[in-house]
Amino acid sequence: MQMAKKFIFITGGVVSSLGKGLLSASIGMLLENQGMKVAMLKFDPYLNVDPGTMNPFQHGEVYVTDDGAETDLDLGHYYRFTSSPLSKVSNTTSGKIYDTIISRERRGDYLGNTVQVIPHVTDEIKAAIVAGSEQEKGIDVVLVEIGGTVGDIESQPFMEAIRQFRLEHPKDCINIHLSYVPYLKAAGEVKTKPTQHSVQALRSIGIFPDLILCRSESPLGLAVREKISLFCSVPKECVLELIDLKETIYELPLHLTDQNLDKLLCSLLNLSCKKGNLTDWKKLVEKIKHPKQTLKLGLVGKYITHQDAYKSVCEALYHAGAVCETKVDIHGIESGQLEKNLSLDGCDGYLVPGGFGERGWEGKIAIAKLCREKKIPYFGICLGMQVMVVEFARNVLKLNKANSTEMDPDTPNPIISLLTEQEQIKNLGGTMRLGAYPCHLKSSSKAHAAYGETKISERHRHRYEFNNTYKKRCEENGLLITGTYSKEDLCEIVEMANHPWMVGVQFHPEFKSKLTAPHPLFVAFVQAMLKEKKGG
Ligand code: GLN
């Protein structure tokens, strides 16, 4: 007989940005290490239907799934730490819930009843939990991370829904609360009061945490944990610490198993506990902590001051670095500044990630020119590929006004442009080529050498495409098209001939890189930088 599905709800208190996403991902990983099949869900209380239209300065990266959902960046953590299915049902926002309810109300589906937060909104949230648990066969444990902080007005329906859910499945749910325990320098001690208050806030709405994780700068000590246990009514062995990990976030699951979190989870959920095996993971963490060499990588974008805007790109670089026993020092270069002053600080290679809009565009073109001329490794992702193509058209094909129609709709040489069938699109939300597309690789290309196969699948998020009118001229002059989506003859990969490694991809490989399975293109890029650094 299959055991009943188990549900873990993860809430946060005191302040945001405590690392709830990473904690959830690590818990998922520890459960998989116990032989469980997990599904990870993220509920975001904001009113946007999805984060697709949100400014990266406010929201960080938009993570795209195979089925084309534009989701919260925490799903990237889930991908990197677990094998959870990730799809449209994995990320639910208040906007999405209300959108469904209001459309239903307009159709008259509620048969004249008053539509209310309880039960209609909470029912819809509970239905989303169930949908997440049924997206694949054999899911044992569903982890539901609730975005925001307890006490926020907008998260209340989600809190209420998880309270009801536990009432309906009393034996199969647990609540984990992540709190913050600050160190007050003036008093010379850590303070537990904010944690006490956030647990009180939770309990006042009927949610009683089973485990409390305390984020703090340094270890808490038994006395502090006992105090939290007493005031928050949680056994002291269920008060754990989550200290700042200075070297790598990939140490988090190890830090948690050291405190027996896996055993505690199994006992709270009534699951039999196995020994588990984290040996391979530990080896990788050691590689990250003890690199043999360092590379300096220039990341050229307009959101570099926001640490989460290029999250998956940075993680993919660290993964590739780990396998090559190399520390990849990421050096953010603000593309807008580059337009005024091309000071480059001598990086071993440059990566131009995805992006939208004109600001910083010419600065990125300048970087591509420098990399092409000086034969410095260059990796262009999505917009970064378009940059590479436009630079080539202007400076090699001598079409000096060539551009993407995103930047100049009237360019005489629209080498990057919208597909005709897309030209009527007016709304900004949900109008892009999104999600996984197959790509065929040309044998003996750099991409083929990296992947080691000719058929791959990668995820997209863009509107503009390479314009095939220019294909022949590009190839004749040294810009090779080495990957295509054959069904619609769309260019997916370009490579510079006679260059150590200058590759642009229209898709986002960073979404599919893990520490245990670094993405082949990122590995090839890091290897190329190492080779060039050692003198080619
Ligand atoms: N702005 C470009 C486009 O829409 C690139 C998008 C991206 O880099 N994700 O095609």
Side-chain angles (χ1 to χ4, degrees), residues 353-357 381-384 386 406-407 432 461-465 506 508:
F356 294 83
I381 293 180
C382 206
L383 189 80
Q386 300 174 358
E406 181 180 5
M407 314 305 158
M432 288 190 263
R461 181 175 185 251
H462 57 102
R463 291 190 182 83
Y464 296 82
E465 304 279 357
Q506 188 58 81
H508 289 272

Side-chain angles (χ1 to χ4, degrees), residues 375-377 446 496 498-502 528 532:
K375 302 208 184 293
I376 304 168
K446 288 198 173 71
M496 199 65 69
N498 305 319
H499 189 287
W501 209 88
M502 188 163 188
E532 288 310 297

Side-chain angles (χ1 to χ4, degrees), residues 221-240:
L222 188 61
V224 175
R225 290 180 26 223
E226 279 178 347
K227 192 168 175 189
I228 294 172
S229 155
L230 179 68
F231 280 93
C232 301
S233 221
V234 170
K236 66 172 184 293
E237 58 278 9
C238 292
V239 180
L240 309 187

